[in-house]
Short mmCIF file of all heavy atoms in Angstrom, two decimals:
data_model
loop_
_atom_site.label_atom_id
_atom_site.label_comp_id
_atom_site.label_asym_id
_atom_site.label_seq_id
_atom_site.Cartn_x
_atom_site.Cartn_y
_atom_site.Cartn_z
N ARG S 204 106.63 100.19 95.77
CA ARG S 204 107.93 100.91 95.37
C ARG S 204 107.98 102.23 96.12
O ARG S 204 106.93 103.00 96.15
CB ARG S 204 108.02 101.10 93.91
CG ARG S 204 109.30 101.48 93.38
CD ARG S 204 109.29 101.68 91.85
NE ARG S 204 108.90 103.00 91.52
CZ ARG S 204 108.70 103.49 90.29
NH1 ARG S 204 108.80 102.60 89.30
NH2 ARG S 204 108.37 104.74 90.12
N LEU S 205 109.10 102.55 96.70
CA LEU S 205 109.34 103.86 97.30
C LEU S 205 110.41 104.58 96.46
O LEU S 205 111.39 103.99 96.06
CB LEU S 205 109.84 103.72 98.75
CG LEU S 205 108.83 103.36 99.77
CD1 LEU S 205 108.42 101.85 99.67
CD2 LEU S 205 109.42 103.59 101.19
N ASP S 206 110.19 105.88 96.22
CA ASP S 206 111.10 106.66 95.34
C ASP S 206 111.71 107.77 96.13
O ASP S 206 111.09 108.30 97.09
CB ASP S 206 110.30 107.21 94.16
CG ASP S 206 109.84 106.16 93.25
OD1 ASP S 206 110.40 105.04 93.20
OD2 ASP S 206 108.82 106.41 92.58
N ALA S 207 112.91 108.19 95.74
CA ALA S 207 113.64 109.29 96.34
C ALA S 207 114.35 110.06 95.19
O ALA S 207 114.97 109.42 94.28
CB ALA S 207 114.56 108.86 97.40
N ARG S 208 114.27 111.35 95.28
CA ARG S 208 115.04 112.14 94.24
C ARG S 208 116.43 112.36 94.77
O ARG S 208 116.66 112.31 95.98
CB ARG S 208 114.31 113.57 94.17
CG ARG S 208 112.91 113.50 93.74
CD ARG S 208 112.70 113.06 92.30
NE ARG S 208 113.44 113.92 91.36
CZ ARG S 208 113.42 113.80 90.08
NH1 ARG S 208 112.66 112.77 89.52
NH2 ARG S 208 114.08 114.68 89.29
N PRO S 209 117.37 112.58 93.81
CA PRO S 209 118.78 112.74 94.20
C PRO S 209 118.99 114.10 95.02
O PRO S 209 118.31 115.07 94.68
CB PRO S 209 119.54 112.74 92.89
CG PRO S 209 118.52 113.23 91.89
CD PRO S 209 117.17 112.67 92.33
N VAL S 210 119.92 114.05 95.90
CA VAL S 210 120.25 115.27 96.65
C VAL S 210 121.70 115.55 96.54
O VAL S 210 122.20 116.52 97.12
CB VAL S 210 119.82 115.10 98.16
CG1 VAL S 210 118.35 115.02 98.29
CG2 VAL S 210 120.52 113.90 98.77
N HIS S 211 122.43 114.77 95.72
CA HIS S 211 123.85 115.03 95.64
C HIS S 211 124.16 116.22 94.72
O HIS S 211 123.34 116.57 93.85
CB HIS S 211 124.60 113.77 95.12
CG HIS S 211 124.05 113.26 93.80
ND1 HIS S 211 124.55 113.74 92.60
CD2 HIS S 211 123.14 112.35 93.51
CE1 HIS S 211 123.90 113.12 91.64
NE2 HIS S 211 123.02 112.28 92.11
N PRO S 212 125.34 116.91 94.87
CA PRO S 212 125.61 118.12 94.12
C PRO S 212 125.56 117.98 92.65
O PRO S 212 125.16 118.92 91.90
CB PRO S 212 127.00 118.52 94.61
CG PRO S 212 127.13 117.91 95.94
CD PRO S 212 126.37 116.62 95.85
N LYS S 213 125.98 116.89 92.07
CA LYS S 213 125.97 116.70 90.66
C LYS S 213 124.66 116.83 89.98
O LYS S 213 124.53 117.26 88.81
CB LYS S 213 126.64 115.38 90.24
CG LYS S 213 128.16 115.39 90.39
CD LYS S 213 128.78 114.12 89.83
CE LYS S 213 130.29 114.18 89.91
NZ LYS S 213 130.91 112.93 89.31
N ALA S 214 123.57 116.55 90.80
CA ALA S 214 122.25 116.61 90.18
C ALA S 214 121.83 118.11 89.95
O ALA S 214 120.95 118.38 89.15
CB ALA S 214 121.24 116.01 91.06
N LEU S 215 122.57 118.99 90.54
CA LEU S 215 122.25 120.42 90.49
C LEU S 215 123.31 121.16 89.59
O LEU S 215 123.16 122.37 89.33
CB LEU S 215 122.22 121.09 91.87
CG LEU S 215 121.26 120.42 92.84
CD1 LEU S 215 121.46 121.08 94.21
CD2 LEU S 215 119.86 120.50 92.37
N ASP S 216 124.30 120.51 89.12
CA ASP S 216 125.41 121.12 88.39
C ASP S 216 125.10 121.04 86.87
O ASP S 216 125.26 119.97 86.23
CB ASP S 216 126.66 120.35 88.63
CG ASP S 216 127.91 121.03 87.93
OD1 ASP S 216 127.74 122.11 87.28
OD2 ASP S 216 128.99 120.38 88.00
N ASP S 217 124.60 122.20 86.29
CA ASP S 217 124.22 122.13 84.92
C ASP S 217 125.40 122.16 84.00
O ASP S 217 125.27 122.14 82.74
CB ASP S 217 123.24 123.33 84.54
CG ASP S 217 123.80 124.64 84.91
OD1 ASP S 217 125.05 124.74 85.23
OD2 ASP S 217 123.11 125.67 84.84
N THR S 218 126.66 122.25 84.48
CA THR S 218 127.84 122.22 83.67
C THR S 218 128.31 120.73 83.46
O THR S 218 129.22 120.48 82.70
CB THR S 218 128.93 123.01 84.28
OG1 THR S 218 129.42 122.46 85.52
CG2 THR S 218 128.53 124.41 84.47
N ASP S 219 127.74 119.87 84.27
CA ASP S 219 128.15 118.38 84.16
C ASP S 219 127.63 117.83 82.81
O ASP S 219 126.46 118.09 82.43
CB ASP S 219 127.46 117.62 85.31
CG ASP S 219 127.97 116.16 85.35
OD1 ASP S 219 127.59 115.42 84.48
OD2 ASP S 219 128.72 115.82 86.31
N PRO S 220 128.51 117.10 82.07
CA PRO S 220 128.06 116.56 80.79
C PRO S 220 126.88 115.66 80.87
O PRO S 220 126.09 115.52 79.88
CB PRO S 220 129.27 115.79 80.35
CG PRO S 220 130.44 116.38 81.00
CD PRO S 220 129.94 116.82 82.31
N LEU S 221 126.62 115.02 82.03
CA LEU S 221 125.51 114.11 82.20
C LEU S 221 124.39 114.78 83.02
O LEU S 221 123.64 114.08 83.68
CB LEU S 221 125.98 112.83 82.87
CG LEU S 221 127.13 112.11 82.14
CD1 LEU S 221 127.54 110.90 82.96
CD2 LEU S 221 126.81 111.83 80.71
N HIS S 222 124.27 116.05 83.07
CA HIS S 222 123.45 116.77 83.91
C HIS S 222 121.93 116.41 83.71
O HIS S 222 121.20 116.18 84.67
CB HIS S 222 123.55 118.34 83.79
CG HIS S 222 122.43 119.02 84.51
ND1 HIS S 222 122.40 119.14 85.91
CD2 HIS S 222 121.46 119.81 84.03
CE1 HIS S 222 121.32 119.84 86.20
NE2 HIS S 222 120.71 120.29 85.13
N ALA S 223 121.52 116.35 82.41
CA ALA S 223 120.15 116.04 82.12
C ALA S 223 119.71 114.66 82.73
O ALA S 223 118.55 114.52 83.39
CB ALA S 223 119.89 115.97 80.60
N ALA S 224 120.55 113.66 82.63
CA ALA S 224 120.27 112.31 83.21
C ALA S 224 120.28 112.36 84.71
O ALA S 224 119.44 111.80 85.41
CB ALA S 224 121.26 111.30 82.67
N ARG S 225 121.28 113.04 85.26
CA ARG S 225 121.39 113.13 86.78
C ARG S 225 120.21 113.86 87.32
O ARG S 225 119.71 113.54 88.44
CB ARG S 225 122.70 113.81 87.11
CG ARG S 225 123.95 113.02 86.70
CD ARG S 225 125.17 113.67 87.43
NE ARG S 225 126.41 113.25 86.80
CZ ARG S 225 127.08 112.11 86.98
NH1 ARG S 225 126.52 111.23 87.77
NH2 ARG S 225 128.23 111.86 86.43
N ALA S 226 119.76 114.95 86.76
CA ALA S 226 118.65 115.78 87.26
C ALA S 226 117.34 114.89 87.19
O ALA S 226 116.47 115.14 88.06
CB ALA S 226 118.52 117.02 86.44
N ALA S 227 117.18 114.08 86.19
CA ALA S 227 115.97 113.22 86.11
C ALA S 227 116.01 111.91 86.88
O ALA S 227 114.96 111.29 87.05
CB ALA S 227 115.73 112.92 84.57
N GLU S 228 117.12 111.68 87.44
CA GLU S 228 117.29 110.38 88.20
C GLU S 228 116.38 110.21 89.39
O GLU S 228 116.13 111.20 90.14
CB GLU S 228 118.75 110.25 88.64
CG GLU S 228 119.05 108.99 89.48
CD GLU S 228 120.54 109.11 90.07
OE1 GLU S 228 121.14 110.17 89.99
OE2 GLU S 228 120.95 108.06 90.61
N VAL S 229 115.87 109.00 89.60
CA VAL S 229 115.07 108.65 90.71
C VAL S 229 115.65 107.30 91.25
O VAL S 229 115.94 106.40 90.52
CB VAL S 229 113.56 108.45 90.44
CG1 VAL S 229 112.88 107.87 91.54
CG2 VAL S 229 113.02 109.76 89.91
N THR S 230 115.87 107.28 92.54
CA THR S 230 116.35 106.09 93.21
C THR S 230 115.13 105.41 93.82
O THR S 230 114.31 106.06 94.59
CB THR S 230 117.37 106.33 94.24
OG1 THR S 230 118.50 106.93 93.68
CG2 THR S 230 117.84 105.09 94.96
N SER S 231 114.91 104.12 93.64
CA SER S 231 113.70 103.44 94.05
C SER S 231 114.09 102.17 94.91
O SER S 231 115.10 101.58 94.64
CB SER S 231 112.89 102.95 92.89
OG SER S 231 112.51 104.07 92.03
N LEU S 232 113.21 101.93 95.88
CA LEU S 232 113.33 100.64 96.58
C LEU S 232 112.10 99.81 96.15
O LEU S 232 110.95 100.22 96.40
CB LEU S 232 113.22 100.87 98.09
CG LEU S 232 113.33 99.66 98.99
CD1 LEU S 232 114.01 100.08 100.35
CD2 LEU S 232 112.01 98.99 99.24
N TRP S 233 112.35 98.76 95.41
CA TRP S 233 111.37 97.82 94.93
C TRP S 233 111.09 96.76 95.97
O TRP S 233 112.02 96.01 96.27
CB TRP S 233 111.86 97.28 93.61
CG TRP S 233 112.00 98.14 92.51
CD1 TRP S 233 113.12 99.05 92.33
CD2 TRP S 233 111.22 98.40 91.36
NE1 TRP S 233 112.97 99.73 91.18
CE2 TRP S 233 111.79 99.39 90.59
CE3 TRP S 233 109.97 97.90 90.94
CZ2 TRP S 233 111.24 99.83 89.36
CZ3 TRP S 233 109.41 98.32 89.75
CH2 TRP S 233 110.07 99.31 89.00
N ARG S 234 109.90 96.60 96.47
CA ARG S 234 109.54 95.53 97.32
C ARG S 234 109.03 94.34 96.53
O ARG S 234 107.97 94.40 95.90
CB ARG S 234 108.43 96.01 98.32
CG ARG S 234 108.93 97.11 99.31
CD ARG S 234 107.81 97.58 100.12
NE ARG S 234 107.18 96.57 100.80
CZ ARG S 234 105.87 96.40 100.93
NH1 ARG S 234 105.03 97.35 100.41
NH2 ARG S 234 105.30 95.40 101.58
N LEU S 235 109.84 93.30 96.60
CA LEU S 235 109.48 92.09 95.69
C LEU S 235 109.20 90.87 96.49
O LEU S 235 109.64 90.71 97.60
CB LEU S 235 110.76 91.86 94.84
CG LEU S 235 111.30 92.98 93.97
CD1 LEU S 235 112.62 92.62 93.30
CD2 LEU S 235 110.23 93.46 92.96
N ALA S 236 108.39 89.97 95.91
CA ALA S 236 108.05 88.74 96.53
C ALA S 236 107.82 87.68 95.46
O ALA S 236 107.38 88.09 94.35
CB ALA S 236 106.79 88.88 97.41
N PRO S 237 107.99 86.43 95.72
CA PRO S 237 107.60 85.40 94.76
C PRO S 237 106.12 85.41 94.37
O PRO S 237 105.26 85.81 95.22
CB PRO S 237 107.98 84.07 95.44
CG PRO S 237 108.92 84.45 96.49
CD PRO S 237 108.49 85.80 96.94
N LYS S 238 105.77 85.04 93.13
CA LYS S 238 104.42 85.05 92.73
C LYS S 238 103.60 83.92 93.52
O LYS S 238 104.24 82.91 93.75
CB LYS S 238 104.31 84.76 91.21
CG LYS S 238 104.85 86.01 90.41
CD LYS S 238 104.68 85.65 88.92
CE LYS S 238 105.06 86.88 88.05
NZ LYS S 238 104.95 86.66 86.67
#
């Protein structure tokens, strides 16, 4: 799994009603394969 933190402006806007969730957000690339 590779992770990246958000860089969009809403993640830094503490007046946004969803700021806590946006600031904690992580975008991941999951590498999957059959068992």
Side-chain angles (χ1 to χ4, degrees):
R204 195 181 85 186
L205 284 73
D206 297 332
R208 302 290 302 183
V210 294
H211 56 89
K213 284 188 176 181
L215 306 175
D216 181 8
D217 59 8
T218 65
D219 187 289
L221 306 180
H222 170 68
R225 296 192 196 279
E228 178 187 9
V229 173
T230 300
S231 301
L232 185 151
W233 298 76
R234 296 175 52 223
L235 305 173
K238 289 182 179 180

